[in-house]
Amino acid sequence: MRRCFFTFGGSQFWEDVFFYQKWRIQRNHKTKEFRLLDPWDIRRYEGGFEECRQAFVRFISLYQLPRQKGHMIIMIHGFGDSKNIFKPMWRAALQDNYLAAAVNYPSTQKNLNSFVKQFNFFLNHLEDVQEVSFISLGIGGIVLRKLLASKEPWTQKLKINRAVQVCPPNQGSALLTKLASFKFLRRIMGPACDDFSPKEVQNWDKLRLKTEIGVIYTQRPEKGILFFLPQSWYKYFYVPDVVKFKGAKEIFYVKNFHLNPFNNENIVTACLRFLKHGKF
């Protein structure tokens, strides 16, 4: 057993499978080892899942952590990202009296069904939460749609409020498909590339969702930091036709030039407004 060691919190090799008051249990997607991290990403315990949970219970008692209760926003990042991209959104959610969990998953290492399986495990082990909402970025929006179509125990245990997709490739990601055509990039990007190709769109449209979903999209990058790309590549970025899908309740445009869209206060505000009121 190893413990009390600083980590980088996991991103493309560790997946979050449990969350409570900023503590998290992660599983290595290759070795299947589990570890318990505290709110500062210090490893406090390593072993099996139940062993890590028991260690967490001991820390609850030691540090007298208060029990969490209420409405939690689950945040699902995009391709190659980590939970840290949600820091502005996470802070705003806490200030608005929500619980908030930004979840790491190895987006360049596994396929779409594996991502959904991880989130189902995460939600099935969510404790002391009565209601959940969701905010996703990029391909996280597709993970979200498949997740909301699940028939797992958590869908009966938890009240599901609303969800917001930010820049989702709901009609498939032509950009990922284009990049994956280069063999060396495909090795880096992993097996999920095929799951998000435009050819898979008809499979996503078969999903039947009862949850209200709002979609936020931003402009193409002609004047942004990606100006150096050939103009022929612009069609691969998020535009209204790409983000649309039949189940969306409302689609909303926000002008944005930030690399991280959640650094845009208007996007953060719009997400919370939809979760509360069902409209942007």
Short mmCIF file of all heavy atoms in Angstrom, two decimals, residues 97-157:
data_model
loop_
_atom_site.label_atom_id
_atom_site.label_comp_id
_atom_site.label_asym_id
_atom_site.label_seq_id
_atom_site.Cartn_x
_atom_site.Cartn_y
_atom_site.Cartn_z
N ASN A 97 -24.93 27.43 -4.85
CA ASN A 97 -25.42 26.42 -3.88
C ASN A 97 -25.70 25.06 -4.50
O ASN A 97 -26.49 24.28 -3.96
CB ASN A 97 -26.68 26.93 -3.16
CG ASN A 97 -26.40 28.17 -2.32
OD1 ASN A 97 -25.38 28.24 -1.63
ND2 ASN A 97 -27.28 29.16 -2.41
N TYR A 98 -25.06 24.75 -5.61
CA TYR A 98 -25.08 23.39 -6.14
C TYR A 98 -23.90 22.61 -5.58
O TYR A 98 -22.87 23.19 -5.20
CB TYR A 98 -24.95 23.39 -7.67
CG TYR A 98 -26.15 23.88 -8.42
CD1 TYR A 98 -26.21 25.19 -8.91
CD2 TYR A 98 -27.22 23.03 -8.70
CE1 TYR A 98 -27.30 25.64 -9.64
CE2 TYR A 98 -28.32 23.47 -9.44
CZ TYR A 98 -28.35 24.77 -9.90
OH TYR A 98 -29.43 25.21 -10.62
N LEU A 99 -24.00 21.30 -5.56
CA LEU A 99 -22.83 20.44 -5.47
C LEU A 99 -22.29 20.30 -6.88
O LEU A 99 -23.03 20.40 -7.85
CB LEU A 99 -23.21 19.06 -4.92
CG LEU A 99 -23.85 19.02 -3.53
CD1 LEU A 99 -24.39 17.62 -3.24
CD2 LEU A 99 -22.86 19.45 -2.46
N ALA A 100 -20.99 20.09 -7.02
CA ALA A 100 -20.41 20.02 -8.36
C ALA A 100 -19.31 18.97 -8.42
O ALA A 100 -18.45 18.91 -7.54
CB ALA A 100 -19.85 21.38 -8.78
N ALA A 101 -19.35 18.15 -9.46
CA ALA A 101 -18.32 17.13 -9.67
C ALA A 101 -17.89 17.15 -11.13
O ALA A 101 -18.68 16.79 -12.02
CB ALA A 101 -18.83 15.75 -9.29
N ALA A 102 -16.66 17.61 -11.39
CA ALA A 102 -16.09 17.52 -12.73
C ALA A 102 -15.34 16.20 -12.81
O ALA A 102 -14.46 15.93 -11.99
CB ALA A 102 -15.14 18.70 -12.98
N VAL A 103 -15.69 15.37 -13.77
CA VAL A 103 -15.24 13.97 -13.80
C VAL A 103 -14.19 13.75 -14.88
O VAL A 103 -14.39 14.10 -16.04
CB VAL A 103 -16.45 13.03 -14.04
CG1 VAL A 103 -16.01 11.58 -13.99
CG2 VAL A 103 -17.54 13.29 -13.00
N ASN A 104 -13.07 13.13 -14.48
CA ASN A 104 -12.05 12.74 -15.45
C ASN A 104 -12.41 11.41 -16.11
O ASN A 104 -12.86 10.48 -15.43
CB ASN A 104 -10.70 12.56 -14.75
CG ASN A 104 -9.88 13.84 -14.73
OD1 ASN A 104 -10.02 14.70 -15.59
ND2 ASN A 104 -9.01 13.96 -13.74
N TYR A 105 -12.21 11.31 -17.41
CA TYR A 105 -12.28 10.02 -18.09
C TYR A 105 -11.23 10.01 -19.20
O TYR A 105 -10.90 11.07 -19.77
CB TYR A 105 -13.69 9.76 -18.65
CG TYR A 105 -14.13 10.64 -19.79
CD1 TYR A 105 -14.06 10.20 -21.11
CD2 TYR A 105 -14.63 11.93 -19.56
CE1 TYR A 105 -14.48 11.01 -22.16
CE2 TYR A 105 -15.05 12.74 -20.60
CZ TYR A 105 -14.97 12.28 -21.90
OH TYR A 105 -15.38 13.08 -22.94
N PRO A 106 -10.64 8.86 -19.51
CA PRO A 106 -9.52 8.78 -20.47
C PRO A 106 -9.99 8.86 -21.91
O PRO A 106 -10.06 7.86 -22.63
CB PRO A 106 -8.87 7.43 -20.15
CG PRO A 106 -10.00 6.61 -19.61
CD PRO A 106 -10.91 7.56 -18.87
N SER A 107 -10.28 10.05 -22.38
CA SER A 107 -10.94 10.24 -23.67
C SER A 107 -10.10 9.82 -24.86
O SER A 107 -10.64 9.58 -25.95
CB SER A 107 -11.36 11.72 -23.82
OG SER A 107 -10.22 12.56 -23.72
N THR A 108 -8.78 9.72 -24.69
CA THR A 108 -7.93 9.30 -25.82
C THR A 108 -7.48 7.85 -25.69
O THR A 108 -6.66 7.39 -26.50
CB THR A 108 -6.67 10.19 -25.92
OG1 THR A 108 -5.90 10.03 -24.71
CG2 THR A 108 -7.04 11.65 -26.08
N GLN A 109 -8.02 7.13 -24.72
CA GLN A 109 -7.53 5.78 -24.45
C GLN A 109 -8.59 4.69 -24.64
O GLN A 109 -8.24 3.52 -24.81
CB GLN A 109 -7.00 5.69 -23.01
CG GLN A 109 -5.92 6.69 -22.68
CD GLN A 109 -4.66 6.49 -23.50
OE1 GLN A 109 -4.19 5.37 -23.68
NE2 GLN A 109 -4.11 7.58 -24.02
N LYS A 110 -9.87 5.04 -24.60
CA LYS A 110 -10.92 4.03 -24.64
C LYS A 110 -12.00 4.46 -25.63
O LYS A 110 -11.92 5.53 -26.24
CB LYS A 110 -11.49 3.83 -23.24
CG LYS A 110 -10.44 3.41 -22.22
CD LYS A 110 -10.99 3.29 -20.82
CE LYS A 110 -11.81 2.05 -20.63
NZ LYS A 110 -12.21 1.84 -19.22
N ASN A 111 -13.03 3.63 -25.77
CA ASN A 111 -14.10 3.95 -26.71
C ASN A 111 -15.34 4.49 -25.99
O ASN A 111 -15.40 4.54 -24.76
CB ASN A 111 -14.45 2.74 -27.58
CG ASN A 111 -14.92 1.55 -26.75
OD1 ASN A 111 -15.50 1.70 -25.68
ND2 ASN A 111 -14.67 0.36 -27.26
N LEU A 112 -16.34 4.87 -26.77
CA LEU A 112 -17.52 5.53 -26.24
C LEU A 112 -18.26 4.66 -25.22
O LEU A 112 -18.66 5.14 -24.15
CB LEU A 112 -18.46 5.90 -27.39
CG LEU A 112 -19.79 6.55 -27.02
CD1 LEU A 112 -19.60 7.81 -26.21
CD2 LEU A 112 -20.59 6.85 -28.29
N ASN A 113 -18.45 3.39 -25.52
CA ASN A 113 -19.16 2.51 -24.58
C ASN A 113 -18.43 2.38 -23.25
O ASN A 113 -19.06 2.28 -22.20
CB ASN A 113 -19.37 1.13 -25.20
CG ASN A 113 -20.43 1.15 -26.30
OD1 ASN A 113 -21.34 1.98 -26.28
ND2 ASN A 113 -20.31 0.25 -27.26
N SER A 114 -17.10 2.42 -23.30
CA SER A 114 -16.32 2.36 -22.06
C SER A 114 -16.51 3.63 -21.24
O SER A 114 -16.57 3.57 -20.00
CB SER A 114 -14.83 2.17 -22.38
OG SER A 114 -14.60 0.94 -23.02
N PHE A 115 -16.61 4.78 -21.92
CA PHE A 115 -16.85 6.03 -21.20
C PHE A 115 -18.20 5.97 -20.47
O PHE A 115 -18.32 6.35 -19.30
CB PHE A 115 -16.86 7.23 -22.15
CG PHE A 115 -15.61 7.40 -22.97
CD1 PHE A 115 -15.66 8.00 -24.22
CD2 PHE A 115 -14.38 6.95 -22.51
CE1 PHE A 115 -14.51 8.16 -24.98
CE2 PHE A 115 -13.23 7.11 -23.26
CZ PHE A 115 -13.30 7.71 -24.51
N VAL A 116 -19.22 5.51 -21.18
CA VAL A 116 -20.57 5.43 -20.59
C VAL A 116 -20.58 4.45 -19.42
O VAL A 116 -21.20 4.71 -18.38
CB VAL A 116 -21.60 5.02 -21.67
CG1 VAL A 116 -22.97 4.82 -21.05
CG2 VAL A 116 -21.66 6.08 -22.76
N LYS A 117 -19.88 3.35 -19.56
CA LYS A 117 -19.80 2.36 -18.49
C LYS A 117 -19.17 2.97 -17.24
O LYS A 117 -19.63 2.74 -16.11
CB LYS A 117 -19.00 1.14 -18.95
CG LYS A 117 -18.95 0.00 -17.96
CD LYS A 117 -18.21 -1.20 -18.54
CE LYS A 117 -18.16 -2.35 -17.53
NZ LYS A 117 -17.45 -3.53 -18.09
N GLN A 118 -18.11 3.76 -17.43
CA GLN A 118 -17.48 4.43 -16.29
C GLN A 118 -18.44 5.38 -15.59
O GLN A 118 -18.54 5.38 -14.36
CB GLN A 118 -16.25 5.22 -16.75
CG GLN A 118 -15.62 6.06 -15.63
CD GLN A 118 -14.70 7.15 -16.14
OE1 GLN A 118 -14.16 7.06 -17.25
NE2 GLN A 118 -14.51 8.19 -15.35
N PHE A 119 -19.16 6.20 -16.37
CA PHE A 119 -20.08 7.17 -15.76
C PHE A 119 -21.25 6.47 -15.06
O PHE A 119 -21.73 6.95 -14.03
CB PHE A 119 -20.57 8.16 -16.80
CG PHE A 119 -19.62 9.30 -17.03
CD1 PHE A 119 -18.66 9.23 -18.03
CD2 PHE A 119 -19.66 10.44 -16.24
CE1 PHE A 119 -17.76 10.26 -18.23
CE2 PHE A 119 -18.77 11.48 -16.43
CZ PHE A 119 -17.80 11.40 -17.43
N ASN A 120 -21.70 5.35 -15.61
CA ASN A 120 -22.75 4.60 -14.92
C ASN A 120 -22.25 4.08 -13.58
O ASN A 120 -22.97 4.13 -12.58
CB ASN A 120 -23.23 3.44 -15.80
CG ASN A 120 -24.27 3.87 -16.82
OD1 ASN A 120 -25.13 4.70 -16.53
ND2 ASN A 120 -24.20 3.29 -18.00
N PHE A 121 -21.03 3.58 -13.55
CA PHE A 121 -20.43 3.11 -12.29
C PHE A 121 -20.34 4.29 -11.31
O PHE A 121 -20.69 4.16 -10.12
CB PHE A 121 -19.04 2.53 -12.56
CG PHE A 121 -18.40 1.88 -11.36
CD1 PHE A 121 -18.45 0.51 -11.20
CD2 PHE A 121 -17.73 2.64 -10.41
CE1 PHE A 121 -17.85 -0.11 -10.11
CE2 PHE A 121 -17.14 2.04 -9.31
CZ PHE A 121 -17.19 0.66 -9.15
N PHE A 122 -19.87 5.43 -11.80
CA PHE A 122 -19.73 6.64 -10.98
C PHE A 122 -21.08 7.03 -10.36
O PHE A 122 -21.18 7.28 -9.15
CB PHE A 122 -19.19 7.77 -11.85
CG PHE A 122 -19.00 9.08 -11.14
CD1 PHE A 122 -17.77 9.42 -10.61
CD2 PHE A 122 -20.04 9.99 -11.03
CE1 PHE A 122 -17.59 10.64 -9.97
CE2 PHE A 122 -19.88 11.20 -10.39
CZ PHE A 122 -18.65 11.54 -9.85
N LEU A 123 -22.12 7.09 -11.17
CA LEU A 123 -23.43 7.53 -10.70
C LEU A 123 -24.10 6.48 -9.81
O LEU A 123 -24.83 6.83 -8.87
CB LEU A 123 -24.32 7.88 -11.89
CG LEU A 123 -23.92 9.17 -12.61
CD1 LEU A 123 -24.48 9.21 -14.02
CD2 LEU A 123 -24.37 10.39 -11.82
N ASN A 124 -23.87 5.21 -10.07
CA ASN A 124 -24.42 4.16 -9.22
C ASN A 124 -23.81 4.19 -7.82
O ASN A 124 -24.43 3.69 -6.87
CB ASN A 124 -24.18 2.78 -9.85
CG ASN A 124 -25.14 2.48 -10.98
OD1 ASN A 124 -26.27 2.97 -11.00
ND2 ASN A 124 -24.70 1.69 -11.95
N HIS A 125 -22.62 4.78 -7.68
CA HIS A 125 -21.96 4.86 -6.39
C HIS A 125 -21.98 6.28 -5.81
O HIS A 125 -21.24 6.58 -4.87
CB HIS A 125 -20.52 4.36 -6.50
CG HIS A 125 -20.42 2.88 -6.74
ND1 HIS A 125 -20.48 2.32 -8.01
CD2 HIS A 125 -20.30 1.84 -5.87
CE1 HIS A 125 -20.38 1.01 -7.91
NE2 HIS A 125 -20.28 0.69 -6.64
N LEU A 126 -22.82 7.13 -6.37
CA LEU A 126 -22.95 8.49 -5.85
C LEU A 126 -23.77 8.48 -4.57
O LEU A 126 -24.87 7.93 -4.54
CB LEU A 126 -23.62 9.37 -6.90
CG LEU A 126 -23.51 10.89 -6.74
CD1 LEU A 126 -22.05 11.32 -6.74
CD2 LEU A 126 -24.26 11.58 -7.87
N GLU A 127 -23.25 9.08 -3.51
CA GLU A 127 -23.88 9.01 -2.20
C GLU A 127 -24.37 10.39 -1.73
O GLU A 127 -23.75 11.41 -2.01
CB GLU A 127 -22.91 8.45 -1.16
CG GLU A 127 -22.46 7.03 -1.44
CD GLU A 127 -21.50 6.49 -0.40
OE1 GLU A 127 -21.20 7.23 0.57
OE2 GLU A 127 -21.05 5.34 -0.53
N ASP A 128 -25.50 10.37 -1.01
CA ASP A 128 -26.05 11.57 -0.36
C ASP A 128 -26.36 12.68 -1.36
O ASP A 128 -26.22 13.87 -1.05
CB ASP A 128 -25.09 12.09 0.72
CG ASP A 128 -24.90 11.09 1.85
OD1 ASP A 128 -25.81 10.28 2.07
OD2 ASP A 128 -23.84 11.12 2.50
N VAL A 129 -26.78 12.31 -2.55
CA VAL A 129 -27.21 13.26 -3.58
C VAL A 129 -28.61 12.85 -4.00
O VAL A 129 -28.88 11.67 -4.23
CB VAL A 129 -26.26 13.26 -4.79
CG1 VAL A 129 -26.83 14.10 -5.93
CG2 VAL A 129 -24.88 13.79 -4.38
N GLN A 130 -29.52 13.82 -4.09
CA GLN A 130 -30.91 13.52 -4.43
C GLN A 130 -31.25 13.84 -5.88
O GLN A 130 -32.17 13.26 -6.46
CB GLN A 130 -31.86 14.30 -3.51
CG GLN A 130 -31.83 13.86 -2.05
CD GLN A 130 -30.56 14.25 -1.32
OE1 GLN A 130 -30.11 15.39 -1.41
NE2 GLN A 130 -29.98 13.33 -0.58
N GLU A 131 -30.52 14.79 -6.47
CA GLU A 131 -30.85 15.26 -7.82
C GLU A 131 -29.57 15.57 -8.58
O GLU A 131 -28.59 16.04 -8.00
CB GLU A 131 -31.73 16.51 -7.72
CG GLU A 131 -32.24 17.04 -9.04
CD GLU A 131 -33.22 18.20 -8.86
OE1 GLU A 131 -33.45 18.62 -7.71
OE2 GLU A 131 -33.75 18.69 -9.88
N VAL A 132 -29.57 15.30 -9.88
CA VAL A 132 -28.39 15.56 -10.70
C VAL A 132 -28.77 16.33 -11.97
O VAL A 132 -29.86 16.15 -12.53
CB VAL A 132 -27.65 14.27 -11.10
CG1 VAL A 132 -26.96 13.65 -9.91
CG2 VAL A 132 -28.58 13.28 -11.78
N SER A 133 -27.87 17.20 -12.39
CA SER A 133 -27.93 17.85 -13.70
C SER A 133 -26.58 17.61 -14.37
O SER A 133 -25.63 17.14 -13.72
CB SER A 133 -28.18 19.35 -13.55
OG SER A 133 -29.47 19.60 -13.05
N PHE A 134 -26.49 17.93 -15.65
CA PHE A 134 -25.27 17.65 -16.39
C PHE A 134 -24.87 18.83 -17.26
O PHE A 134 -25.71 19.52 -17.82
CB PHE A 134 -25.45 16.42 -17.29
CG PHE A 134 -25.75 15.15 -16.55
CD1 PHE A 134 -27.07 14.80 -16.26
CD2 PHE A 134 -24.73 14.30 -16.16
CE1 PHE A 134 -27.36 13.62 -15.58
CE2 PHE A 134 -25.01 13.12 -15.48
CZ PHE A 134 -26.32 12.78 -15.18
N ILE A 135 -23.54 19.04 -17.36
CA ILE A 135 -22.97 20.00 -18.31
C ILE A 135 -21.84 19.29 -19.02
O ILE A 135 -20.97 18.68 -18.38
CB ILE A 135 -22.45 21.27 -17.61
CG1 ILE A 135 -23.58 22.02 -16.92
CG2 ILE A 135 -21.75 22.18 -18.62
CD1 ILE A 135 -23.13 23.22 -16.10
N SER A 136 -21.84 19.34 -20.35
CA SER A 136 -20.80 18.66 -21.12
C SER A 136 -20.12 19.63 -22.06
O SER A 136 -20.66 20.68 -22.41
CB SER A 136 -21.41 17.50 -21.91
OG SER A 136 -22.27 17.99 -22.93
N LEU A 137 -18.92 19.23 -22.50
CA LEU A 137 -18.17 20.00 -23.49
C LEU A 137 -17.75 19.07 -24.61
O LEU A 137 -17.27 17.97 -24.37
CB LEU A 137 -16.94 20.63 -22.84
CG LEU A 137 -15.99 21.38 -23.79
CD1 LEU A 137 -16.67 22.60 -24.41
CD2 LEU A 137 -14.72 21.81 -23.06
N GLY A 138 -17.91 19.52 -25.86
CA GLY A 138 -17.43 18.75 -27.00
C GLY A 138 -18.02 17.35 -27.06
O GLY A 138 -19.22 17.15 -26.90
N ILE A 139 -17.14 16.35 -27.25
CA ILE A 139 -17.61 14.96 -27.37
C ILE A 139 -18.25 14.47 -26.07
O ILE A 139 -18.97 13.46 -26.08
CB ILE A 139 -16.49 14.00 -27.79
CG1 ILE A 139 -15.44 13.87 -26.68
CG2 ILE A 139 -15.89 14.40 -29.12
CD1 ILE A 139 -14.51 12.69 -26.86
N GLY A 140 -18.01 15.18 -24.97
CA GLY A 140 -18.70 14.84 -23.73
C GLY A 140 -20.21 14.89 -23.89
O GLY A 140 -20.94 14.21 -23.18
N GLY A 141 -20.69 15.68 -24.86
CA GLY A 141 -22.12 15.76 -25.13
C GLY A 141 -22.67 14.47 -25.69
O GLY A 141 -23.83 14.12 -25.46
N ILE A 142 -21.85 13.72 -26.43
CA ILE A 142 -22.29 12.43 -26.97
C ILE A 142 -22.26 11.38 -25.87
O ILE A 142 -23.16 10.54 -25.77
CB ILE A 142 -21.41 12.00 -28.15
CG1 ILE A 142 -21.33 13.14 -29.18
CG2 ILE A 142 -21.96 10.75 -28.79
CD1 ILE A 142 -22.66 13.69 -29.63
N VAL A 143 -21.22 11.43 -25.03
CA VAL A 143 -21.18 10.56 -23.86
C VAL A 143 -22.44 10.80 -23.02
O VAL A 143 -23.09 9.86 -22.55
CB VAL A 143 -19.92 10.82 -23.02
CG1 VAL A 143 -19.92 9.95 -21.77
CG2 VAL A 143 -18.66 10.58 -23.83
N LEU A 144 -22.80 12.07 -22.85
CA LEU A 144 -23.97 12.44 -22.07
C LEU A 144 -25.25 11.87 -22.66
O LEU A 144 -26.09 11.32 -21.93
CB LEU A 144 -24.06 13.97 -21.98
CG LEU A 144 -25.31 14.55 -21.34
CD1 LEU A 144 -25.45 14.10 -19.89
CD2 LEU A 144 -25.29 16.08 -21.42
N ARG A 145 -25.42 11.97 -23.96
CA ARG A 145 -26.65 11.45 -24.58
C ARG A 145 -26.80 9.94 -24.37
O ARG A 145 -27.88 9.45 -24.06
CB ARG A 145 -26.68 11.80 -26.06
CG ARG A 145 -27.00 13.27 -26.33
CD ARG A 145 -26.86 13.62 -27.80
NE ARG A 145 -27.76 12.83 -28.66
CZ ARG A 145 -27.74 12.90 -29.99
NH1 ARG A 145 -26.86 13.70 -30.60
NH2 ARG A 145 -28.58 12.18 -30.70
N LYS A 146 -25.71 9.22 -24.54
CA LYS A 146 -25.77 7.77 -24.33
C LYS A 146 -25.98 7.45 -22.85
O LYS A 146 -26.66 6.48 -22.50
CB LYS A 146 -24.49 7.10 -24.84
CG LYS A 146 -24.35 7.12 -26.35
CD LYS A 146 -23.53 5.94 -26.87
CE LYS A 146 -24.27 4.63 -26.75
NZ LYS A 146 -23.57 3.51 -27.41
N LEU A 147 -25.39 8.26 -21.98
CA LEU A 147 -25.55 8.06 -20.54
C LEU A 147 -27.00 8.25 -20.12
O LEU A 147 -27.55 7.46 -19.34
CB LEU A 147 -24.64 9.04 -19.79
CG LEU A 147 -24.65 8.95 -18.27
CD1 LEU A 147 -24.08 7.61 -17.80
CD2 LEU A 147 -23.84 10.10 -17.68
N LEU A 148 -27.64 9.28 -20.64
CA LEU A 148 -29.03 9.57 -20.28
C LEU A 148 -30.00 8.53 -20.83
O LEU A 148 -31.14 8.45 -20.38
CB LEU A 148 -29.42 10.97 -20.77
CG LEU A 148 -28.74 12.13 -20.05
CD1 LEU A 148 -29.09 13.46 -20.71
CD2 LEU A 148 -29.11 12.16 -18.57
N ALA A 149 -29.54 7.74 -21.80
CA ALA A 149 -30.38 6.67 -22.34
C ALA A 149 -30.18 5.36 -21.58
O ALA A 149 -30.81 4.35 -21.91
CB ALA A 149 -30.07 6.46 -23.82
N SER A 150 -29.31 5.38 -20.55
CA SER A 150 -29.04 4.17 -19.78
C SER A 150 -30.26 3.73 -18.97
O SER A 150 -31.13 4.54 -18.65
CB SER A 150 -27.86 4.41 -18.81
OG SER A 150 -26.69 4.76 -19.51
N LYS A 151 -30.28 2.47 -18.62
CA LYS A 151 -31.32 1.93 -17.74
C LYS A 151 -30.67 1.35 -16.49
O LYS A 151 -30.98 0.26 -16.05
CB LYS A 151 -32.14 0.87 -18.48
CG LYS A 151 -32.90 1.43 -19.68
CD LYS A 151 -33.71 0.36 -20.38
CE LYS A 151 -34.46 0.96 -21.57
NZ LYS A 151 -35.26 -0.09 -22.29
N GLU A 152 -29.74 2.12 -15.94
CA GLU A 152 -28.98 1.70 -14.75
C GLU A 152 -29.74 2.07 -13.48
O GLU A 152 -30.64 2.93 -13.50
CB GLU A 152 -27.62 2.39 -14.76
CG GLU A 152 -26.69 1.92 -15.87
CD GLU A 152 -26.06 0.58 -15.55
OE1 GLU A 152 -25.69 0.33 -14.39
OE2 GLU A 152 -25.93 -0.23 -16.50
N PRO A 153 -29.37 1.49 -12.34
CA PRO A 153 -30.05 1.80 -11.07
C PRO A 153 -30.07 3.28 -10.71
O PRO A 153 -31.03 3.77 -10.12
CB PRO A 153 -29.25 0.97 -10.05
CG PRO A 153 -28.74 -0.19 -10.84
CD PRO A 153 -28.43 0.35 -12.20
N TRP A 154 -29.01 4.01 -11.08
CA TRP A 154 -28.97 5.42 -10.69
C TRP A 154 -30.10 6.23 -11.31
O TRP A 154 -30.53 7.24 -10.74
CB TRP A 154 -27.61 6.04 -11.06
CG TRP A 154 -27.37 6.24 -12.54
CD1 TRP A 154 -26.75 5.38 -13.39
CD2 TRP A 154 -27.73 7.38 -13.34
NE1 TRP A 154 -26.71 5.89 -14.66
CE2 TRP A 154 -27.29 7.12 -14.66
CE3 TRP A 154 -28.38 8.58 -13.06
CZ2 TRP A 154 -27.47 8.02 -15.71
CZ3 TRP A 154 -28.57 9.49 -14.10
CH2 TRP A 154 -28.12 9.21 -15.39
N THR A 155 -30.61 5.80 -12.47
CA THR A 155 -31.70 6.55 -13.11
C THR A 155 -33.01 6.45 -12.32
O THR A 155 -33.90 7.28 -12.49
CB THR A 155 -31.93 6.03 -14.54
OG1 THR A 155 -32.32 4.65 -14.51
CG2 THR A 155 -30.68 6.18 -15.39
N GLN A 156 -33.11 5.44 -11.46
CA GLN A 156 -34.28 5.30 -10.60
C GLN A 156 -34.03 5.92 -9.23
O GLN A 156 -34.96 6.41 -8.58
CB GLN A 156 -34.62 3.81 -10.42
CG GLN A 156 -34.89 3.07 -11.73
CD GLN A 156 -36.06 3.66 -12.50
OE1 GLN A 156 -37.10 4.02 -11.91
NE2 GLN A 156 -35.91 3.77 -13.81
N LYS A 157 -32.78 5.91 -8.80
CA LYS A 157 -32.44 6.42 -7.47
C LYS A 157 -32.38 7.95 -7.44
O LYS A 157 -32.77 8.57 -6.45
CB LYS A 157 -31.09 5.84 -7.03
CG LYS A 157 -30.64 6.29 -5.65
CD LYS A 157 -29.28 5.69 -5.29
CE LYS A 157 -28.16 6.33 -6.10
NZ LYS A 157 -26.82 5.90 -5.62
#
